[in-house]
């Protein structure tokens, strides 16, 4: 069946995308279904599990029907740190799904602050409610002691196949996995009050885990992987030091570290990139919580009609206005969930276009800061950045990114990098003779953005912007700020 196309499903925060991909990477069919997270007071973000499952089934069936041919496998890329409680006997959800952006488990992390160094040493992660375990512990404490509590992928795969599994990359985002052993840690489970929990089996990303009849016939299910690592694979970042950034709801920069699970010293995190062909590859990563969600916020304020209007709405310069994109707190390298977003440097001459430009530059500045600390952990600067995601359509953002990074930014030619990465893992699962490089189709950038700013201008801007971040953090520390 290795010559058949595969159905690759990318289940994301704001929608589910299903593509039918040919062995060479050609997309034969595409279907998308929206998902509507609920943004609630107190930094809470939820999804309806029934809507998640419905979107997977509907998008997958529509894509297969549009392709008009059988598929050889179904693969799934998932959100990573979104969790829910559910009944393994019936598959019935016992809670809403708490999205990776959700902050309600901050008190769980605060109670474990004395164990933060030990947790980081075992997991490569920072103790923060962004990751799965704090939200899982919160659900156990506040919602239900029944059933199992897992990341959303384990529930979706169970509904498709009846199996109880999660992939190594997703498991490494939980704060419960021993990063070196790639096994659940009894010590970590105990720290989070989850000792005795039934945990899904950790599988390789190139493994067939079961079969499903959800999309017609009995089809193997395999090639499970977390979304950002799927994009890293699709963009061919197979060697240490190769990096990509996905510009979606948030922005996520990942750089490969090969078979070495580093322990970042700069506030970044380290995870499994993928486990395939009997080996484990690792990566370091940093997160910007609000990218497209910040653009959506601008639209809600009436400053632009939608993401497609971003370039038209942005002025040619910000006229000194800076934006700290902490609308849902700050992630790496600060890890300040209490930080609030801020516009700085405004005057009576500031106009809406300047604010839009400042948001564009603020997102690019935070990614540039991530690249700076990634370079410290890698022992050398990045030479180029590969970029994917919906916001790569914004020339203003991509040019700002190249200017602030002072390196070329290469835009991935397809808006479906995550799905194509999942398709590559499915191919690995179907054909054990393929190597990683064989499963990833070659590609050329749709556009390459070269830096236009001189290095001193970029350095001056980033110095001012970092000072703005410190001011925003100082406001939160003084108790007058809060989550954006």
């Amino acid at each position: 069946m290795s010559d058949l196309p595969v159905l690759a499903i990318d289940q994301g925060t704001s929608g589910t995308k299903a593509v039918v991909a040919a062995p060479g990477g050609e997309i034969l069919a595409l279907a998308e279904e929206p998902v509507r997270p609920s943004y609630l007071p107190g930094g809470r973000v939820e999804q309806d599990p029934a809507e998640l499952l419905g979107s997977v089934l509907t998008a997958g069936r529509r894509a297969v029907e549009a392709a008009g041919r059988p598929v050889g496998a179904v693969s799934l890329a998932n959100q990573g740190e979104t969790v829910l409680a559910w009944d393994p006997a019936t598959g019935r959800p016992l809670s809403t799904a708490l999205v990776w952006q959700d902050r309600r488990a901050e008190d769980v992390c605060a109670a474990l602050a004395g164990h933060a160094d030990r947790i980081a040493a075992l997991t490569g992660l920072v103790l923060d409610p962004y990751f799965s375990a704090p939200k899982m512990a919160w659900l156990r404490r506040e919602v239900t002691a029944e059933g199992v509590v897992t990341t959303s992928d384990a529930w979706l795969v169970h509904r498709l196949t009846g199996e109880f599994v999660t992939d190594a990359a997703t498991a490494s985002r939980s704060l419960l996995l021993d990063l070196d052993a790639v096994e659940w840690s009894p010590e970590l489970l105990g720290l989070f009050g989850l000792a005795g929990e039934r945990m899904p089996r950790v599988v390789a990303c190139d493994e067939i885990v079961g079969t499903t009849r959800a999309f017609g016939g009995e089809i193997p299910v395999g090639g499970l992987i977390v979304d950002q690592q799927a994009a890293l694979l699709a963009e061919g970042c197979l060697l240490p030091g190769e990096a990509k950034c996905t510009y979606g709801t948030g922005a996520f920069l990942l750089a490969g570290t090969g078979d070495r699970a580093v322990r970042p010293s700069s506030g970044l995190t380290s995870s499994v990139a993928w486990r395939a062909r009997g080996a484990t590859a690792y990566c370091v990563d940093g997160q910007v919580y609000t990218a497209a969600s910040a653009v959506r916020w601008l639209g809600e304020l009436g400053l632009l009609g939608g993401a497609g209007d971003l370039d038209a709405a942005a002025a040619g310069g910000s006229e000194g206005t800076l934006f700290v994109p902490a609308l849902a707190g700050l992630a790496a390298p600060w890890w300040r969930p209490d930080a609030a977003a801020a516009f700085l440097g405004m005057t009576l001459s500031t106009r809406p276009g300047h604010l839009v430009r400042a948001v564009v530059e603020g997102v690019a500045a935070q990614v540039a800061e991530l690249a700076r600390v990634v370079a410290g952990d890698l022992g050398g600067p990045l030479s180029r950045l590969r970029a994917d995601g919906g916001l790569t359509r914004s020339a203003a953002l991509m040019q700002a990114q190249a200017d602030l990074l002072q390196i070329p930014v290469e835009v991935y030619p397809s808006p479906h990098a995550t799905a194509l990465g999942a398709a590559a893992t499915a191919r690995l699962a179907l054909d054990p003779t393929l190597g990683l490089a064989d499963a990833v189709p070659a590609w050329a950038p749709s556009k390459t953005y070269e830096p236009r700013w001189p290095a001193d201008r970029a350095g001056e801007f980033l110095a001012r912007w970092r000072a703005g971040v410190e001011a925003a953090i100082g406001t939160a520390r003084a108790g007058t700020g809060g989550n954006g």
Side-chain angles (χ1 to χ4, degrees), residues 222-262:
L224 308 180
I225 190 168
V226 72
D227 52 5
Q228 298 307 322
Q229 279 83 330
L232 187 73
L233 179 63
E235 290 169 65
C237 298
L238 305 181
L239 299 176
E242 294 181 329
K244 71 89 195 176
C245 187
T246 297
Y247 297 82
T249 300
F252 302 89
L253 189 149
L254 279 70
T257 61
D259 60 2
R260 183 171 62 101
V262 304

Side-chain angles (χ1 to χ4, degrees), residues 336-365:
R336 289 300 303 261
D338 56 335
F343 282 107
L344 304 167
M346 291 186 292
T347 69
L348 287 173
S349 65
T350 301
R351 296 293 178 261
H354 301 140
L355 299 179
V356 175
R357 169 63 63 173
V359 170
V360 167
E361 293 177 344
V363 171

Side-chain angles (χ1 to χ4, degrees), residues 123-164:
T123 66
L125 305 178
V126 174
L127 178 60
D128 188 86
Y130 168 74
F131 300 107
S132 312
K135 295 190 285 287
M136 293 166 66
W138 187 92
L139 283 172
R140 281 301 189 221
R141 187 186 72 193
E142 301 292 339
V143 178
T144 180
E146 301 300 318
V148 295
V149 58
T150 72
T151 43
S152 59
D153 65 306
W155 177 67
L156 290 169
V157 172
H158 179 81
R159 293 302 301 262
L160 292 175
T161 69
E163 300 296 327
F164 189 48

